[in-house]
Amino acid sequence: MKSASPWPFMLKWDIVRLTQYDVIFFTDTDALLQLTHSNQAAAAEHAWTVQYDAFLRSPAQLVGGPDHNSPINAGVMLLKPSERVYREGLAAMRRGWDADTGWEHAGLPIDIIPPDYKRVFASTNPLRANHWGAQDHGEYEQGLFTYMYLVHERAFVKAKFSNYTMTHYYGSFKPWRTSRCARFFESAVVIRGVDGRFAADRIPLHLERSSCRTPAHATIL
């Protein structure tokens, strides 16, 4: 059995207790969410009105996306805070994790992940290997979010990225590092609210054009 997860990784779980908010949109600082719709302002407005209201009314508690390592990539999440879920997550941490049976020693992935989720996430490492140790950060926060929302709560919804792309620069590559292709981004699109409506502004960053492309160790959803 592995030792308890280092607390710096697990601090992300604290966002679940922020019940003063109805919904929290969380991104890691090394994750880039971009609109790809031709009318970016309209896409943002639809997401934060129609789709947001639908999420509030639904039984779902977390919306996110997978990567090859994990059914839930904890770098970008939309979630409903809950004091109950927060406390039950702390209880899961106290009960521990191991590579075979995961958090709270609940069981092998193929045995405890609900059938509907197994079909959606069949290509992710934990289900392919039937082993929680195959999940990147399985014993850290990413594994805890996967266990709590896929298995414990059964309240996860896979995001539809039809109008968006999400690039997560995990590992040592960070675009803001001058030695690691800092000029990867040439402009940014800022979505802002104007009198209850949304508008999109493209802000040039005045950086030299670079031949850099998305690195192999960036996960794109």
Side-chain angles (χ1 to χ4, degrees):
M1 175 178 170
K2 280 197 174 185
S3 60
S5 302
W7 284 110
F9 284 100
M10 305 309 292
L11 288 175
K12 190 180 292 186
W13 188 248
D14 256 9
I15 65 176
V16 179
R17 74 185 304 187
L18 301 179
T19 54
Q20 65 268 41
Y21 304 105
D22 294 328
V23 174
I24 291 175
F25 177 63
F26 174 88
T27 67
D28 283 353
T29 55
D30 61 352
L32 175 68
L33 189 67
Q34 294 177 299
L35 286 165
T36 57
H37 194 277
S38 57
N39 188 335
Q40 297 187 355
E45 184 168 1
H46 180 76
W48 291 108
T49 53
V50 177
Q51 292 176 313
Y52 175 85
D53 289 342
F55 176 54
L56 278 179
R57 295 191 303 268
S58 77
Q61 296 182 44
L62 188 148
V63 179
D67 58 32
H68 70 284
N69 280 313
S70 175
I72 296 179
N73 182 322
V76 177
M77 299 180 290
L78 187 71
L79 64 86
K80 297 174 184 173
S82 166
E83 183 68 24
R84 177 189 62 81
V85 174
Y86 172 74
R87 293 191 179 279
E88 292 180 8
L90 294 183
M93 291 186 219
R94 287 192 290 270
R95 295 184 184 112
W97 177 95
D98 70 47
D100 292 319
T101 57
W103 287 102
E104 299 190 290
H105 314 291
L108 295 170
I110 200 168
D111 293 331
I112 64 173
I113 293 179
D116 289 347
Y117 290 134
K118 279 193 282 193
R119 286 191 290 271
V120 173
F121 303 120
S123 63
T124 61
N125 285 350
L127 279 165
R128 291 176 61 190
N130 196 25
H131 188 261
W132 289 110
Q135 180 182 18
D136 184 43
H137 277 206
E139 72 276 31
Y140 298 161
E141 84 294 350
Q142 191 151 274
L144 182 64
F145 276 96
T146 297
Y147 170 68
M148 289 302 298
Y149 288 98
L150 242 66
V151 177
H152 190 278
E153 297 295 309
R154 302 192 178 195
F156 174 72
V157 173
K158 183 177 180 290
K160 296 178 180 179
F161 283 89
S162 57
N163 293 327
Y164 305 87
T165 61
M166 193 279 282
T167 306
H168 194 180
Y169 296 90
Y170 63 87
S172 62
F173 180 92
K174 306 298 177 189
W176 56 81
R177 291 183 178 175
T178 56
S179 62
R180 297 296 185 100
C181 193
R183 291 179 171 82
F184 185 82
F185 304 108
E186 296 177 0
S187 64
V189 175
V190 178
I191 305 296
R192 56 187 174 85
V194 181
D195 297 328
R197 305 287 291 179
F198 284 80
D201 296 325
R202 181 168 291 277
I203 309 298
L205 300 181
H206 302 294
L207 298 174
E208 295 176 9
R209 181 170 297 277
S210 171
S211 61
C212 292
R213 297 171 182 249
T214 303
H217 44 295
T219 299
I220 297 182
L221 301 180

